[in-house]
Amino acid sequence: MCDCYSEEETALADLKAIAENLINGKAPAVEEGVRQAMDDGTPVREILHEGLIAGMNVVGQKFKNNECYIPEVLIAARAMKSGMELIRPRLIEEKVEPLGVAAIGTVKGDLHDIGKNLVAMMLEGAGFEVVDCGIDVPPEKFLEAVKENGAQLICMSALLTTTMPSMKTTVDALKEAGVTDKVKTIIGGAPVTQSYADQIGADGYAPDAASAADRAKELMVEIKE
Ligand code: B1M
């Protein structure tokens, strides 16, 4: 690149290229772009937001408008994951000691995991020890994470309106198990709202991965009080 561009302009162009390659499902190019941006010293939060998330948002919009279909979406999701794997250690790097233990999963019946993985990474980056319960997680498995892994936060993601009720079932199961004095719940995902969180008695709601990490930190303060 000619030196008539400032470092900031070059970094922005690199992040746009990452987003573009992700939209086109080019995993090796996404990986290469992410590696290059990291080598150039671009903050990983910027790589995540301006590169990877920005690209996936476009894919989501295109899918909604029937401008692309499930196979293209899956290929783009794979490209996003390969980029995320590269920045994961850097997001975790600043962790000194765990702020707490957070179990996360996409609720029963729901297989969407891109947002859930982003939240997990942001939680790790914020200093939490994260127990990833995966996708299609029934209430019993979240309870198991409390009992066996000492989870203090139960973080649930749902992308389908039809799977949101499983969040309530899990909140109720935690109440029944009598652990809600030391365990808090956070919910999120595209169809989920603060008003739904209030309705089902969840302790927290966050509209995006970064806010989920902030909410998790606030809830840890409440747990420790
Ligand atoms: Co699905 N899908 N999908 N899909 N899919 C949606 C969600 C949909 C809105 C598309 C549409 O119709 N416009 C629609 C749901 C409609 C509804 O219920 N209202 C839908 C549908 C219908 C389906 C199927 C039923 C399609 C079918 O088979 N007929 C099927 C269901 C399968 C199942 O789960 N049982 C299905 C399947 C799939 C794929 C497998 C093809 C793929 C998933 C791949 C994967 O995850 N590994 C897929 C995808 C990719 C999407 C879209 C296009 C993108 C979702 C995504 O990853 N977004 C989506 C359309 C859309 O959202 N525009 C769609 C990017 C991701 C970063 O955002 O997950 O929202 P998101 O996470 C955000 C926030 O929501 C938040 O943080 C993230 C950003 O920072 N967040 C939290 C998420 N979890 C959080 C938890 C928190 C806090 C914040 O606290 C714990």
Side-chain angles (χ1 to χ4, degrees):
M1 184 146 328
C2 83
D3 59 7
C4 47
Y5 292 103
S6 69
E7 271 179 29
E8 271 171 34
E9 283 169 331
T10 308
L12 196 62
D14 289 347
L15 296 175
K16 278 189 178 164
I18 292 172
E20 201 57 41
N21 283 320
L22 188 149
I23 294 162
N24 294 319
K26 295 180 180 167
V30 169
E31 280 180 31
E32 180 51 36
V34 169
R35 259 197 208 98
Q36 188 62 54
M38 286 167 78
D39 289 348
D40 293 345
T42 307
V44 281
R45 271 182 95 98
E46 278 180 31
I47 300 174
L48 178 64
H49 288 281
E50 313 303 327
L52 301 175
I53 294 183
M56 200 62 211
N57 281 342
V58 173
V59 175
Q61 198 56 45
K62 285 188 164 189
F63 185 63
K64 214 171 179 174
N65 298 339
N66 290 325
E67 290 167 22
C68 76
Y69 301 96
I70 289 174
E72 289 102 309
V73 174
L74 280 174
I75 292 167
R78 193 184 58 191
M80 178 156 187
K81 276 188 178 174
S82 58
M84 292 205 308
E85 282 309 311
L86 289 174
I87 59 170
R88 165 188 281 267
R90 290 273 286 272
L91 283 173
I92 301 167
E93 217 169 60
E94 283 162 33
K95 176 170 91 169
V96 181
E97 57 182 53
L99 284 180
V101 182
I104 186 162
T106 307
V107 298
K108 191 174 179 200
D110 204 321
L111 309 178
H112 296 84
D113 68 354
I114 297 168
K116 183 268 292 172
N117 292 340
L118 279 175
V119 176
M121 286 174 58
M122 293 304 290
L123 287 170
E124 281 176 333
F128 283 90
E129 179 186 330
V130 175
V131 179
D132 192 340
C133 301
I135 52 174
D136 193 15
V137 182
E140 316 78 80
K141 200 166 168 186
F142 281 117
L143 256 177
E144 210 176 282
V146 172
K147 290 177 181 159
E148 290 179 12
N149 304 94
Q152 296 153 300
L153 295 176
I154 295 297
C155 307
M156 292 174 269
S157 179
L159 265 288
L160 300 172
T161 45
T162 49
T163 57
M164 285 166 62
S166 185
M167 293 176 150
K168 174 166 168 32
T169 318
T170 304
V171 168
D172 290 347
L174 292 166
K175 278 183 195 154
E176 269 168 39
V179 295
T180 45
D181 54 330
K182 54 181 189 336
V183 179
K184 302 278 179 195
T185 48
I186 308 181
I187 63 171
V192 179
T193 58
Q194 178 65 57
S195 120
Y196 186 68
D198 296 341
Q199 194 185 315
I200 68 168
D203 300 296
Y205 157 77
D208 56 64
S211 322
D214 291 342
R215 195 71 191 98
K217 284 192 256 181
E218 288 165 8
L219 287 173
M220 279 313 296
V221 174
E222 285 180 31
I223 289 172
K224 286 176 179 167
E225 266 171 5

